[in-house]
Amino acid sequence: MVSLSQVVAWVVLIVLIAFGASLAVGGAILIAADGSGYYLIAGLAIAGSSVLMILGKPAGLMLFGLTLIATLIWSLWETGLNGWALAPRLIALALVGFLLLVTPVARRCYERNFLWPLAWVGIPVLACFSALGVAALQEGSRYANDEVTAPIVAAQPDQGEWRHWGRTTGGDRYSPLKQISTANVEQLELAWEYQSDVPEFGSFGNHMFQSTPLAADGRLYTCGDRNVVVALNPDTGKELWRFDPKLNLDGIFVTTCRGVAYYEAPQPGALQSAASGANTTCSKRIVYGTADGRLLAVDAETGMACADFGEQGAVDLRLGMGEIPPGALAVTSPPTVINGVVILGQFVSDFLSYFDTPSGVIRGYDAITGELRWAWDAGRPDRTTLPPEGESYTIDTPNAWGVFSGDETLGLVYVPTGNSPPDFYGAHRSAASEKYSSSIVAIDVATGKVRWSFQTVHHDLWDYDVPSQPVVADLQGSDGMIPALIAPTKRGQLFVLDRRDGTPVDRVVEKPVPQGATPGDWTFPTQPYTTGFPSLAGEDLTEASMWGMTPLDQLWCRIKFRQVRYDGQFTPPSTDTHINYPGSAGGSNWGSVTVDKARGLLVANSLHMAETGRMLPRSEGESLNHTRDTTIYQQEKIPYVFKRQILMSPLGVPCQQPPYGKISVFNLHTRELLWSKPLGTAARSGPWGIELGLPILMGVPNSGGSIATAGGLIFIGAAQDRLLRAFDIGSGKEVWQAQLPAVGAATPMTYLSSESGRQFVVISAGGHAGIPGPSASSVMAYALPVKGSR
């Protein structure tokens, strides 16, 4: 009678034959695509060893053990001691080897000497698991630098408020508060939670609660779903007032609000605008733009509309814009207020084409009256007023949807621009678009005239617009301090410019890039690269960096990599499938970078997610629809539809090996990388979107930014595993974490309560449409315990 263990043994061997045959067939395809020969050889060896074991031949175990040893040597040669890279290469085969030892297979092949199978299979299995263990231990410590960086200059006196999105108009996101420090951060606890509005929408891309609150005059100010603004008690989170703009949601698909602006007029009480002479009593105000095209001013003390601003507290941003297609425009980032001028751009939908895209005009309004001071229309730079009746601002000019920064002394606002839709086909772009797309543009706040501009990508065909807020920082130069501007990009390049005139502080070189675009389009022969900060994008992809959960889906990814076009960064879009990396989400996105002014450090979180793209004939692409991992750009009125996909394996995991997200710290003055480590664990990740709950450091997709404090800490949410973390800025050691109800896809902030004297750290946790996980609308505040409460 056949026993259960014998049945299991036969099943294992039959499955192993099928597994080996699959590897061999896939390996042959990979060799035909100029790829590695390992899979064909290993597949044949595994299938052959299984046949021999079925026949009861000892050589079967010997061949399998040799295959394991060869696989280990090949894996270490390809990847070194990289735990995540070794996992799909070794775990499956090592587990099979262990299974062969505990079933009757080994006894059947060599019944008289039980040490023989242990030697030929047991030792290779032990060697594989030992290599994985050593790699895992190394992963836990390889990025840390135990040297704690001391402050270069003394910290400034405590300033407890957070009056701008980036704390300062320059956007450094550094707080001089140090009540919470590396010595006590592990005691942080949830102080209060404020539940904002329930999401209005549930479909793709509509609800992303990303607001960074402001702290001013004893209140917190934040915006939520449908652009509702609230004032909160900073000690309790209790709502003090609420302002509902009553959005007109017709044709609106995105209501993201990343924050609001705070403005305090220079003379409280009866104020007089230099521009108009009008009086107002709304001396402290919240100013922000809405998804339905309004610029609003709300009294910061009462929550009532500022009646003297525009028409009863509102300015119509649709004036001069001409015909606006449904969902084409929305203000998603807070305005920047410089020298009494409210400056804002707007999000313009990526799904439009040349002929129906509204203008990307940048406008400055009087902070008291709401009167239009100027408009920078890249297509008509000499006209800074509203267009004449019947005309509009120039269509299809570069828009700016990220957060601006400014220098009040120089009277400049620094605008990071996007490119003109369609993102992936540029044959019809105007001279203005070619000049100002994917650039940093410095605009004179008084006149609306461009003082200088610097382009980060020429003739951008990769959606490499600049969403990151440029950061004002003074850097040490050979002749003293240089007034600099640090411009992070989706490409992972951190350009350092003299903010007075745009001259590169770190030399920028033009390097040749791959050529050959979609028929009818063209590619620029070179692209700019900085010689200063190391790239956040990391190394180019290779076949060896392709990944998967098992050898089979890793093999699939390697075949895919070899079958599509990839010539490194700037592989141009075409009618052939190509790879874009680090991907259109970055690199660095709107979370930007943080500058610890006291220690002279720069903090950057980055995303690394390869994607494939292909220009499809319109007849083939018009019927396609979006999915979670696929985006379809219809690009009306041109011959092609663009299909963009995350490069995923058949098991629904990225084809490139982890990490997918990192956090890094650089010496601001030498540009040296001090430490870098994966950001986020695998706890909320898994095949087909199933959360495996493995709290193993991996480096996961992230969206949002960081802050730094005089207490020697970095605070950041952003990551897919839904945690708010604190890192020691000197060593990179994670010193505290708290679970959030959803991805904290926002930049945190910190403040000192004038009433209780407690320092709070606050983050909005709402989730992100592009990162798996639940949605929420929570503002979470953390503080040290009140003395005597324990």
Side-chain angles (χ1 to χ4, degrees), residues 269-273 276-283 285 295-299 304-315 365-372:
L271 301 172
Q272 203 167 46
S273 164
S276 66
N279 292 326
T280 180
T281 56
C282 192
S283 58
R285 57 188 59 189
L295 177 63
L296 304 179
V298 180
D299 191 306
M304 303 295 291
C306 296
D308 292 338
F309 185 87
E311 295 292 331
Q312 297 300 308
V315 171
Y365 295 88
D366 189 288
I368 300 298
T369 67
E371 178 185 352
L372 179 67

Side-chain angles (χ1 to χ4, degrees), residues 302-388:
T302 66
M304 303 295 291
C306 296
D308 292 338
F309 185 87
E311 295 292 331
Q312 297 300 308
V315 171
D316 188 353
L317 296 176
R318 295 168 297 181
L319 293 175
M321 296 302 295
E323 184 178 351
I324 303 174
L329 288 179
V331 179
T332 55
S333 295
T336 298
V337 185
I338 306 289
N339 296 340
V341 181
V342 179
I343 305 143
L344 79 165
Q346 59 222 323
F347 157 83
V348 176
S349 174
D350 288 338
F351 300 109
L352 302 172
S353 192
Y354 305 103
F355 310 101
D356 57 3
T357 301
S359 177
V361 61
I362 309 299
R363 287 168 285 186
Y365 295 88
D366 189 288
I368 300 298
T369 67
E371 178 185 352
L372 179 67
R373 290 275 198 94
W374 51 261
W376 176 59
D377 177 350
R380 295 187 180 91
D382 294 330
R383 186 172 73 189
T384 59
T385 60
L386 270 171

